[in-house]
DNA sequence: GTCTATAAATTGATAGAC
DNA sequence: GTCTATCAATTTATAGAC
């Protein structure tokens, strides 16, 4: 139950905006993650935020646009922190260790938003497009991949955004999802974290 | 667009039940998978099935119970075909190859149901319990794991249901999900399937 | 910046006829 | 086995006052 405050929530606290708007965003984030977007009514959001229902529509043109504003901030967070400082490590092994820790931590800290987006991804094509844009059609990522190949001689020469998606982000986020959703212990007692590290190394190092 | 007919649909065609009930189940399966459970109305289901709305409530006590009946059949399908014939192969490598193909095929064939359940898993605790029961608290699976350790000398002695969930099913179904959801090619042109095989071998073989 | 009042439309579900 | 008619409740969204 001891929820970690996400980066998004922290940023929201400091952002300059009407108190009512902030409270609505925070309440929507929590309720959408807990009950799902469709099962949360604007009346519930207003109650949880301690504002009137009418106020929601002063700041957001629709319930959908509330969801949009929340997810947009997730994509930004993800993009801005992804593979940052990729050339800082002495070996590929260290890079992968740091990357794995960082993304698992990111998933834990932003789990509320991940839940919301995870639900939508299954049936909302515009969410899939947004994710594809963040991961595959993202200039930053191509730059980082090139940087990895240049810096680490044993890096997989075939590394590309699609392989990164299927071979790295898939295993990594499914691990995070399973751990957080099923409340499994996330430390290495059972060797599953070591196992994940090896699975990721397979991709970063290639054959 | 050329949807494969799922095992569930095939079974439904042959099952003995009122034509109206069958049509409702089929329509609900399609619409839930396409639009999501909450965004599908009973009016739409009736229209797609070509029956009246009232008839739905003759066979199902609520919209929720319709979803329940659909997902229950998924769990049964999954359980009944999981790790079947696990001792038939000459080597662990062959077992993993066959297992991987079989589950990717299963995911493709039952993708409509996977989509529906995938959505629910994020916010419906009863769905998480059901999945945990199918994968972790399933007598069959423990039996198969024991069989693997007995038959293949190089099998990972630490293999257990939880490691299977995080180390095998996670990477495998995230691969299937990404491939099917983003319409990526699923064959091995880019080596991602070979990569998946290696990642799974890491778990089955251990260190 | 925020609230009250309200409407228009939709939705899940039921009763009873055929 | 299937349909018609109908309802009660909910839900998003708006207009205008304070």
């Amino acid at each position: 139950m001891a929820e970690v405050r996400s980066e998004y929530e922290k940023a929201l606290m400091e952002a300059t905006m009407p108190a009512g708007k902030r409270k609505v965003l925070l309440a929507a984030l929590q309720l959408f993650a807990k009950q799902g977007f469709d099962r949360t009514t604007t009346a519930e959001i207003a109650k949880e935020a301690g504002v009137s229902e009418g106020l929601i529509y002063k700041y957001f043109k629709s319930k959908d646009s509330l969801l949009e504003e929340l997810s947009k901030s997730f994509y930004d967070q993800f993009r801005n922190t992804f593979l940052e400082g990729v050339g800082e490590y002495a070996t590929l092994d260290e890079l992968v260790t740091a990357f794995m820790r960082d993304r698992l931590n990111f998933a834990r800290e932003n789990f509320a938003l991940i839940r919301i987006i995870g639900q939508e991804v299954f049936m909302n094509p515009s969410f899939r497009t947004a994710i594809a844009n963040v991961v595959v059609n993202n200039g930053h990522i191509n730059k980082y991949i090139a940087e990895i190949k240049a810096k680490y001689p044993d890096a997989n020469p075939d590394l590309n955004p699609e392989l990164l998606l299927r071979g790295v982000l898939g295993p990594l986020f499914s691990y995070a999802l399973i751990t957080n959703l099923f409340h499994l212990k996330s430390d290495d007692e059972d060797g599953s974290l070591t196992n994940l590290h090896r699975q990721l190394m397979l991709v970063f190092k290639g054959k």
Side-chain angles (χ1 to χ4, degrees), chain A:
Chain A
M1 285 296 127
E3 288 290 325
V4 184
R5 181 149 312 193
S6 71
E7 289 307 312
Y8 174 64
E9 284 171 300
K10 285 185 214 158
L12 205 55
M13 294 301 196
E14 290 161 17
T16 308
M17 64 171 74
K21 183 175 184 183
R22 190 200 324 278
K23 285 192 281 183
V24 168
L25 281 168
L26 242 23
L29 172 66
Q30 245 125 256
L31 292 174
F32 289 167
K34 201 170 102 189
Q35 318 175 339
F37 176 76
D38 292 301
R39 284 167 210 178
T40 301
T41 66
T42 50
E44 284 177 295
I45 296 172
K47 192 184 173 189
E48 170 83 17
V51 302
S52 72
E53 224 179 321
L55 189 65
I56 296 176
Y57 290 93
K58 291 291 174 192
Y59 297 123
F60 306 95
K61 86 174 211 300
S62 67
K63 193 185 158 194
D64 276 287
S65 76
L66 221 184
L67 174 63
E68 254 175 58
E69 183 152 334
L70 285 173
S71 31
K72 187 176 175 315
S73 76
F74 174 81
Y75 302 134
D76 291 344
Q77 290 272 340
F78 184 87
R79 205 192 328 252
N80 290 339
T81 58
F82 188 73
L83 276 174
E84 222 180 0
V86 82
E88 284 175 9
Y89 304 92
T91 63
L92 202 56
D93 192 286
E94 279 176 40
L95 165 65
V96 171
T97 300
F99 173 73
M100 184 178 84
R101 294 241 160 97
D102 172 62
R103 287 300 94 179
L104 288 179
N105 204 44
F106 177 87
R108 194 166 43 80
E109 278 187 351
N110 296 281
F111 195 58
L113 276 171
I114 286 181
R115 256 174 130 127
I116 297 168
I117 291 173
Q119 284 166 41
E120 294 299 322
V121 152
F122 283 96
M123 59 192 183
N124 202 325
S126 72
F127 275 72
R128 291 200 285 279
T129 305
I131 288 179
N133 282 336
V134 169
V135 176
V136 180
N137 314 319
N138 177 359
H140 286 278
I141 290 192
N142 279 297
K143 202 190 72 184
Y144 286 135
I145 288 178
E147 215 172 321
I148 291 173
K149 290 182 189 172
K151 162 103 188 191
Y152 307 99
D154 52 344
N156 183 358
D158 297 329
L159 200 60
N160 63 60
E162 234 177 62
L163 183 59
L164 203 68
L165 180 60
R166 286 209 269 202
V168 175
L169 294 180
L172 212 160
F173 277 90
S174 67
Y175 183 96
L177 235 39
I178 291 170
T179 301
N180 288 300
L181 233 33
F182 291 87
H183 301 299
L184 302 183
K185 53 190 168 346
S186 63
D187 47 34
D188 199 21
E189 283 172 35
D190 61 354
S192 64
L193 203 60
T194 312
N195 175 66
L196 178 63
H197 182 271
R198 285 204 205 104
Q199 288 180 327
L200 302 191
M201 277 302 284
L202 232 39
V203 181
F204 278 95
K205 237 180 152 169
K207 184 43 197 259

